[in-house]
Amino acid sequence: MNLNYSNRINKLPEYLFAEIDREIEKKRKNGIEVIDLSVGDPDLPTANNIVDALCDSARDPENHRYPSYRGMLEFRESVANFYKRRFNVRLNPEDEVIALIGSKEGIAHLPLAFINSGDSCLVPDPAYPVYKISAILADGNAIEMPLLEENEFRPDLNVIGRKDAKKAKIMFINYPNNPTTAIADKDFFREVVDFAIENEIIVCHDNAYSEITFDGYIAPSFLEVKNAKDIGIEFHSLSKTYNMTGWRIGFAVGNSDIIRGLGKVKENIDSGIFQAIQYAGVEALNSPESEIRDNVNIFKERRDLMVDGLNDIGFEVEKPKATFYLWFRIPNKFKNSIEFCRKLLKKAGVVMTPGSGFGKYGEGYVRLSITQPIEILERALERIKCKNILK
Ligand SMILES: *Cc1c(COP(=O)(O)O)cnc(C)c1O
């Protein structure tokens, strides 16, 4: 049988790192330790009280049945309480909150509810790849909004053409930002709200890193801005805040019509999150602020070590105010970010992510993730230094 993928699968962005993957494989086979600083997956364990909540709930047969597709009321109430406590944003747990099997799931499904074939989504570039992919999987188009260093990696809404603005149905934004580590204030969110109201666009703000912030910076919610709830929702995740990437639990909050649309898709595709995981999520969302701070302090120590270390070697890296990434320019002598990463891997056995993997405007940069213990980060610095990558 001649098996062909659908056009939408064929349209997905090309995977750029096959060669780097082969090189990693080869080194590992030869017994050479590869230090992987490419993945945004915390090495720190989930807190014990959260694991205990899962274990206790898993023993209760009440939780062995199909969950509700939009999440248990108890979970949605904890989300609403978290938003009130943390952002002073009021949410009705009845219809303004939906549980997700990780925020990635919700992001990927949202366009299915609102995009018809040929409609457009405005997506940042560079970006978390799922925004663009979700548009393509819904048979829509992605219109890139360049995130440029001169604009502090925020999209310039004034350069979006009238036609594109009118054609677009959804805009994705994400601050604190992956991969650029940029932050945005409420003035920027206000601009986005005005633009979205004028052009009748749904705004999806991805706030996955709101709690991973440093040096006194406190990240806002998009929903803190007046009228934001008229046109938008915010995706949020327990993955990064509570070291729970493997658990697959997140949520979306905001405009009830948009939430209902997302719910319609989910109702017909998945049947919600295992209730024991939702109880663990409730436990996580009720964690004392100090627990999150202790976690963030570990990332801060690593950030300082890596930024200072790389600058000593001769790179130019700034200390990010948020996220567990560093984003910096590759040295001039390299042709592009893939070539830099290939050299780095070959000479020093250290893996970083080429900026071009996040979109064409990511070219010229590299992303490094500090989700490794301090000893490993020190070893990575040591190797980069002694192998003289910059020479
Ligand atoms: C990690 C990440 C997510 C996904 O988180 P899950 O809830 O684990 O699916 C979403 N957006 C961004 C920008 C991320 O970096």
Side-chain angles (χ1 to χ4, degrees):
M1 186 169 63
N2 205 349
L3 210 53
N4 292 316
Y5 288 129
S6 64
N7 294 339
R8 69 179 80 80
I9 292 290
N10 288 325
K11 264 200 261 173
L12 293 179
E14 192 186 353
Y15 183 69
L16 298 171
F17 309 137
E19 200 190 327
I20 291 179
D21 288 349
R22 274 197 300 275
E23 186 69 23
I24 295 175
E25 188 83 353
K26 202 171 93 192
K27 280 204 181 272
R28 289 200 166 134
K29 249 193 208 134
N30 293 333
I32 300 166
E33 183 209 27
V34 174
I35 300 179
D36 191 347
L37 307 182
S38 72
V39 282
D41 188 353
D43 57 305
L44 303 163
T46 309
N48 281 330
N49 57 315
I50 301 174
V51 178
D52 288 344
L54 170 81
C55 295
D56 292 345
S57 311
R59 289 203 179 85
D60 182 354
E62 201 41 43
N63 295 325
H64 297 170
R65 315 185 59 193
Y66 281 123
S68 111
Y69 74 91
R70 59 194 187 123
M72 301 161 64
L73 181 60
E74 202 169 332
F75 177 75
R76 286 181 278 124
E77 280 171 347
S78 323
V79 170
N81 291 338
F82 171 78
Y83 259 68
K84 181 71 187 71
R85 199 169 70 229
R86 170 63 178 81
F87 301 114
N88 201 23
V89 167
R90 256 175 220 291
L91 296 167
N92 182 350
E94 261 325 309
D95 60 359
E96 294 179 333
V97 179
I98 189 167
L100 299 170
I101 310 171
S103 56
K104 180 180 184 180
E105 178 263 306
I107 293 166
H109 279 145
L110 183 86
L112 290 178
F114 297 102
I115 292 288
N116 288 314
S117 175
D119 286 346
S120 299
C121 296
L122 291 162
V123 300
D125 180 333
Y128 182 61
V130 186
Y131 313 134
K132 182 175 184 174
I133 288 171
S134 71
I136 296 171
L137 289 178
D139 278 344
N141 304 310
I143 301 173
E144 279 108 13
M145 303 184 291
L147 305 188
L148 306 177
E149 192 165 349
E150 70 231 43
N151 299 329
E152 294 173 304
F153 298 110
R154 290 191 283 265
D156 182 352
L157 304 180
N158 299 314
V159 305
I160 299 172
R162 279 212 74 76
K163 263 198 5 231
D164 281 347
K166 286 292 164 207
K167 241 179 21 196
K169 288 265 180 73
I170 296 175
M171 175 193 283
F172 286 102
I173 49 172
N174 162 226
Y175 294 94
N177 185 262
N178 173 14
T180 69
T181 76
I183 56 176
D185 54 15
K186 284 195 253 178
D187 289 338
F188 171 72
F189 289 154
R190 254 176 232 121
E191 262 180 64
V192 171
V193 169
D194 291 344
F195 180 87
I197 290 174
E198 186 185 334
N199 295 292
E200 298 187 17
I201 293 172
I202 293 171
V203 176
C204 297
H205 180 239
D206 181 354
N207 211 355
Y209 294 94
S210 68
E211 307 312 299
I212 316 285
T213 62
F214 311 110
D215 309 333
Y217 174 66
I218 297 174
S221 162
F222 175 70
L223 298 176
E224 286 176 45
V225 170
K226 198 162 162 257
N227 300 332
K229 215 198 269 177
D230 295 343
I231 47 89
I233 61 169
E234 187 156 84
F235 286 99
H236 218 296
S237 171
L238 278 69
S239 291
K240 315 292 161 62
T241 308
Y242 306 104
N243 298 320
M244 290 177 76
T245 48
W247 296 62
R248 310 316 301 134
I249 183 163
F251 51 89
V253 296
N255 182 279
S256 57
D257 293 324
I258 305 173
I259 295 289
R260 198 171 305 115
L262 178 54
K264 281 213 175 300
V265 177
K266 287 178 60 57
E267 187 180 358
N268 288 291
I269 294 185
D270 63 67
S271 298
I273 309 162
F274 180 31
Q275 289 199 12
I277 294 180
Q278 295 190 54
Y279 280 116
V282 169
E283 179 73 22
L285 287 166
N286 293 335
S287 305
E289 176 67 9
S290 60
E291 221 156 280
I292 301 176
R293 281 297 117 196
D294 290 347
N295 203 35
V296 167
N297 283 335
I298 296 175
F299 288 124
K300 182 187 178 301
E301 192 189 346
R302 295 172 179 184
R303 176 200 71 165
D304 292 346
L305 172 90
M306 276 321 263
V307 172
D308 295 343
L310 288 166
N311 282 326
D312 283 346
I313 295 170
F315 290 89
E316 284 176 32
V317 189
E318 275 176 42
K319 282 194 179 156
K321 285 261 184 286
T323 78
F324 41 56
Y325 306 109
L326 306 180
W327 175 256
F328 53 98
R329 279 184 187 282
I330 59 168
N332 283 332
K333 63 175 270 207
F334 296 97
K335 183 168 91 222
N336 58 41
S337 56
I338 290 191
E339 148 123 337
F340 168 73
C341 289
R342 197 193 298 132
K343 275 276 159 59
L344 187 70
L345 173 59
K346 225 173 181 144
K347 285 174 103 177
V350 174
V351 187
M352 297 183 194
T353 313
S356 59
F358 301 100
K360 62 173 178 287
Y361 293 95
E363 186 53 273
Y365 297 88
V366 64
R367 191 193 76 175
L368 171 167
S369 175
I370 51 173
T371 50
Q372 292 271 20
I374 212 119
E375 312 80 72
I376 294 189
L377 295 175
E378 275 169 347
R379 196 145 74 233
L381 280 174
E382 198 74 15
R383 287 197 198 165
I384 295 169
K385 189 173 176 180
C386 80
K387 294 296 174 187
N388 245 330
I389 303 296
L390 293 175
K391 273 269 168 62

